[in-house]
């Protein structure tokens, strides 16, 4: 069975973790039942944006510091363009609906956090997502901090949605996913962007398939998706 986007450790090609990182990653293992079905498949309770704080957390891969939320800067609209080995993907950040999340994404992008990383998971059955944002490529990496969920009331995940992967309520970090085909998920994953260009790139990646290393229809994309850089542009 395909599991929802999460930061639970997954297999990855040509990636080795340090002992420290493996111990840190193990803290999210209880979130997955022995069948592989995520138990955190119920709506999460989102904290209000006014209470946005970034809390130190492990692991701290490619650590760039911990952002300090600035409501004025967080409100400024922007678009993000990911230049990947398969083509460009641009999305409009939902700064009015998920200011804590979009502020974090901009902080990481402006500090080159995503540069030279790759998207480690593609699902082609049940849910239709490409998951990225882990500099280790294992599915267990994180930026050294976590922050609350947002924008979950009535959340849906049509094609073109950009949302956060997590390890349970209010455990957001750096991992996120693109929805390349209309997907039904419980409203537990903060939607924070809307693709404005590059959906065809995602569909090309999906058409290339994946290697089933996690489950049938769930694995490493056959067409490698290497993120070269992420550019933030004011709107």
């Amino acid at each position: 069975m395909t599991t929802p986007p999460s930061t639970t450790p997954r297999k990855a090609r040509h990636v080795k973790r340090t002992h420290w990182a493996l111990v840190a990653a193990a803290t999210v293992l209880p979130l997955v039942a022995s069948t592989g079905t995520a138990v955190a498949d119920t709506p999460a309770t989102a904290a209000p944006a006014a209470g946005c704080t970034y809390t130190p957390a492990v692991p701290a891969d490619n650590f760039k510091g911990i952002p300090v939320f600035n409501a004025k800067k967080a409100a400024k609209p922007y678009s993000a363009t990911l230049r990947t080995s398969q083509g460009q993907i641009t999305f409009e950040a939902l700064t009015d609906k998920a200011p804590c999340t979009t502020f974090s994404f901009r902080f990481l992008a402006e500090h080159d956090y995503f540069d030279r990383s790759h998207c480690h998971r593609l699902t082609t059955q049940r849910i239709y997502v490409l998951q990225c944002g882990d500099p280790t490529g294992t599915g267990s990496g994180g930026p050294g901090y976590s922050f609350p969920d947002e924008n979950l009331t009535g959340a849906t995940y049509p094609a073109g949605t950009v949302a956060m992967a997590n390890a349970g309520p209010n455990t957001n970090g750096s991992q996120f996913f693109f929805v390349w085909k209309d997907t039904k998920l419980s409203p537990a994953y903060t939607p924070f962007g809307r693709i404005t260009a590059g959906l065809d790139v995602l569909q090309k990646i999906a058409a290339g398939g994946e290697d089933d290393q996690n489950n049938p229809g769930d694995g490493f994309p056959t067409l490698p998706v290497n993120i070269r850089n992420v550019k933030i542009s004011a709107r």
Side-chain angles (χ1 to χ4, degrees):
M1 180 178 293
T2 302
T3 57
S6 71
T7 54
T8 301
R10 297 186 176 278
K11 299 175 185 177
R13 293 177 176 173
H14 312 302
V15 176
K16 293 183 179 180
R17 298 285 278 161
T18 63
H19 176 70
W20 171 83
L22 285 170
V23 172
T27 60
V28 300
L29 283 172
L31 294 172
V32 178
S34 59
T35 59
T37 302
V39 297
D41 195 25
T42 55
T45 301
C52 177
T53 57
Y54 302 102
T55 305
V58 292
D61 301 299
N62 192 24
F63 186 63
K64 300 295 185 180
I66 298 176
V68 177
F69 186 72
N70 180 311
K72 184 176 181 180
K73 182 176 180 180
K76 294 180 179 179
Y78 73 86
S79 292
T81 298
L82 288 79
R83 190 167 68 91
T84 83
S85 54
Q86 300 300 329
Q88 290 193 167
I89 303 166
T90 299
F91 70 86
E92 172 188 320
L94 305 179
T95 54
D96 57 333
K97 295 180 173 62
C100 188
T101 307
T102 54
F103 188 84
S104 172
F105 187 92
R106 173 159 46 189
F107 170 84
L108 293 174
E110 290 178 342
H111 286 80
D112 304 328
Y113 182 86
F114 302 112
D115 293 8
R116 296 173 297 281
S117 66
H118 64 264
C119 299
H120 62 275
R121 182 189 183 198
L122 173 68
T123 58
T124 57
Q125 295 181 24
R126 293 176 60 84
I127 61 173
Y128 309 103
V129 306
L130 177 69
Q131 191 166 332
C132 316
D134 175 3
T136 73
T138 64
S140 61
Y145 63 87
S146 62
F147 58 92
D149 299 317
E150 299 176 286
N151 196 29
L152 296 184
T153 302
T156 58
Y157 305 87
T161 299
V162 188
M164 294 299 296
N166 61 49
N170 301 311
T171 59
N172 301 290
S174 60
Q175 292 191 45
F176 62 94
F177 60 93
F178 296 112
V179 180
W180 58 269
K181 180 180 177 181
D182 290 355
T183 288
K184 290 186 177 180
L185 287 169
S186 63
Y189 309 93
T190 297
F192 71 96
R194 184 181 302 108
I195 293 173
T196 55
L199 185 58
D200 58 330
V201 173
L202 292 171
Q203 291 167 342
K204 176 188 72 173
I205 294 165
E210 40 67 43
D211 63 6
D212 290 352
Q213 65 174 266
N214 300 318
N215 283 300
D218 184 346
F220 194 94
T222 300
L223 296 176
V225 188
N226 302 312
I227 299 175
R228 292 168 178 160
N229 57 60
V230 180
K231 180 181 179 182
I232 301 298
S233 303
R235 289 194 292 109

